[in-house]
Amino acid sequence: MQQTVDGRVQRGLERRERILDAAVRRFARRGYEGTRIADIAKDAGMTDAGLIHHFPSKEKLFLAVIERREEVYAPVTGSFDSVAEFLHALIASVKAACAEPEYLRFRAMLSGAGMIENNPATAHLEGRLRLAVERLVPLFAEGIKRGELLPDQQPLPMVLHILALNDGLRAQWGQAPDLIDYAGTFETSIAAAYRAFSGRTLPPTHG
């Protein structure tokens, strides 16, 4: 009996994964409004009712894809001893994201969707931005205090500059992935930003 139950649970998890895989492709290319539950169900090889059993609404499925995207491409977390250490972690996270192009395209779509009133992504993206600012401004302020960054810099504009580099290059990649080397251009841009902020070259990562 236990084996039967476990098998049923496993099949349910596999169906859920198929739905998420189909959903990220559809949402990435069609956006929230342009995607239909029926199309996702067809791509996943199941009926509409079978999909709704796992995700009762399109909004819940959309938010589940956002959550899964953050599992696959985890945001930069943890504490850092320097701004340089954080920037290296951010570069590494961008390179990891490039290994999951469907989720990367989905995230590029989210940036535009977040500007649309009442889009399910809006509150999520605003919360992520506020959290990033809350976490990073003290790190950059400490960098100024320690002498890592130039004394005439302001922490908030520097943080927003770094975040904007990521958002902008990711959006350009979403428009023309064959033209934009997202990871390589981002790494070069971060090195240039650090040089402007600190007056020195971004030191190599350790470990």
Side-chain angles (χ1 to χ4, degrees), residues 74 76-77 80 83-95 205:
V76 176
T77 57
F80 301 97
V83 171
E85 184 181 4
F86 160 71
L87 294 178
H88 279 299
L90 186 57
I91 290 167
S93 75
V94 166
K95 290 179 178 178
T205 184

Side-chain angles (χ1 to χ4, degrees), residues 12-48:
L13 292 173
E14 290 172 355
R15 283 193 290 270
R16 192 174 189 277
E17 289 301 312
R18 288 209 314 273
I19 294 169
L20 289 171
D21 287 344
V24 70
R25 289 192 296 270
R26 284 282 177 175
F27 285 132
R29 288 163 173 75
R30 304 270 183 168
Y32 180 75
E33 296 296 337
T35 297
R36 302 187 308 160
I37 283 290
D39 293 328
I40 297 174
K42 181 180 178 181
D43 291 349
M46 62 183 62
T47 64
D48 294 6

Side-chain angles (χ1 to χ4, degrees), residues 122-148:
T122 303
H124 172 82
L125 292 174
E126 179 183 351
R128 286 291 306 279
L129 175 59
R130 291 184 181 278
L131 180 60
V133 168
E134 180 182 311
R135 290 184 61 241
L136 295 176
V137 163
L139 175 66
F140 278 67
E142 182 62 25
I144 295 171
K145 183 179 178 180
R146 273 199 324 268
E148 180 187 7

Side-chain angles (χ1 to χ4, degrees), residues 12-205:
L13 292 173
E14 290 172 355
R15 283 193 290 270
R16 192 174 189 277
E17 289 301 312
R18 288 209 314 273
I19 294 169
L20 289 171
D21 287 344
V24 70
R25 289 192 296 270
R26 284 282 177 175
F27 285 132
R29 288 163 173 75
R30 304 270 183 168
Y32 180 75
E33 296 296 337
T35 297
R36 302 187 308 160
I37 283 290
D39 293 328
I40 297 174
K42 181 180 178 181
D43 291 349
M46 62 183 62
T47 64
D48 294 6
L51 186 152
I52 291 170
H53 172 74
H54 292 277
F55 300 98
S57 70
K58 184 169 75 168
E59 180 176 347
K60 288 186 181 300
L61 177 53
F62 187 69
L63 294 174
V65 173
I66 292 176
E67 182 179 345
R68 170 52 56 85
R69 182 255 170 198
E70 292 186 357
E71 291 175 2
V72 172
Y73 168 32
V76 176
T77 57
S79 59
F80 301 97
D81 294 329
S82 67
V83 171
E85 184 181 4
F86 160 71
L87 294 178
H88 279 299
L90 186 57
I91 290 167
S93 75
V94 166
K95 290 179 178 178
C98 290
E100 297 285 349
E102 291 296 341
Y103 283 94
L104 183 56
R105 185 184 293 273
F106 177 79
R107 180 61 182 83
M109 178 278 298
L110 276 187
S111 294
M115 301 295 292
I116 300 173
E117 187 174 356
N118 297 324
N119 187 282
T122 303
H124 172 82
L125 292 174
E126 179 183 351
R128 286 291 306 279
L129 175 59
R130 291 184 181 278
L131 180 60
V133 168
E134 180 182 311
R135 290 184 61 241
L136 295 176
V137 163
L139 175 66
F140 278 67
E142 182 62 25
I144 295 171
K145 183 179 178 180
R146 273 199 324 268
E148 180 187 7
L149 304 178
L150 296 172
D152 60 345
Q153 301 288 336
Q154 295 295 319
L156 180 58
M158 286 190 289
V159 169
L160 294 177
H161 181 82
I162 295 299
L163 298 178
L165 280 175
N166 195 12
D167 287 343
L169 288 170
R170 184 173 52 219
Q172 289 180 339
W173 176 89
Q175 293 166 1
D178 61 326
L179 178 65
I180 307 297
D181 176 8
Y182 171 37
T185 306
F186 182 71
E187 185 169 13
T188 300
S189 300
I190 287 297
Y194 187 82
R195 192 177 303 113
F197 295 159
S198 67
R200 61 174 68 92
T201 301
L202 181 67
T205 184

